[in-house]
């Protein structure tokens, strides 16, 4: 039970962060290589927090941002599917 509650709370944080990203940046339709660059940059911020000895709360915040960004990329891929773009195309 505890794990499912924790997991649900994490999912809710990710959804809230996705909503925040949409408000801040609007609807994003980047090419895949741009999405990858954005994700790597966010992961770099997690590494920076760890290297700088930041508290776990800041690391969690950065990880939620990474997860939300990956969800945004997945949303874009799903939109491409719905628009008839072949997801089996190479990058």
């Amino acid at each position: 039970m505890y794990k499912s509650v924790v997991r649900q709370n994490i999912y809710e944080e990710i959804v809230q962060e996705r909503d925040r990203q949409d408000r801040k940046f609007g609807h994003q339709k980047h090419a895949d290589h741009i999405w990858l660059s954005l994700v790597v940059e966010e992961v770099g911020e997690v590494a920076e927090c760890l290297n700088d000895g930041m508290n776990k709360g800041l690391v969690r915040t950065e990880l939620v941002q990474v997860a939300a960004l990956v969800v945004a990329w997945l949303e874009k891929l799903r939109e491409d599917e719905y628009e008839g773009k072949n997801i089996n195309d190479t990058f």
Side-chain angles (χ1 to χ4, degrees):
M1 171 91 168
Y2 174 74
K3 276 189 176 183
S4 64
V5 170
V6 169
R7 187 172 291 165
Q8 187 60 41
N9 289 341
I10 291 168
Y11 292 154
E12 289 171 12
E13 287 180 57
I14 294 167
V15 168
Q16 289 172 1
E17 175 60 20
R18 276 295 301 121
D19 291 341
R20 186 195 71 78
Q21 290 172 352
D22 278 344
R23 284 190 307 275
K24 183 173 182 179
F25 302 112
H27 186 69
Q28 303 291 302
K29 291 194 67 107
H30 303 296
D32 292 309
H33 69 281
I34 301 296
W35 281 111
L36 179 59
S37 296
L38 294 169
V39 169
V40 168
E41 187 220 341
E42 286 296 324
V43 170
E45 290 179 18
V46 173
E48 186 177 355
C49 283
L50 292 172
N51 289 337
D52 292 347
M54 302 268 184
N55 67 50
K56 290 183 179 183
L58 291 174
V59 173
R60 279 188 75 259
T61 298
E62 292 295 336
L63 287 170
V64 168
Q65 290 174 1
V66 169
L69 190 57
V70 170
V71 168
W73 187 1
L74 288 166
E75 289 170 356
K76 190 265 185 190
L77 291 173
R78 181 58 53 95
E79 289 171 6
D80 286 352
E81 279 182 63
Y82 290 148
E83 292 172 3
K85 296 177 183 170
N86 188 348
I87 63 165
N88 294 318
D89 288 346
T90 57
F91 291 101

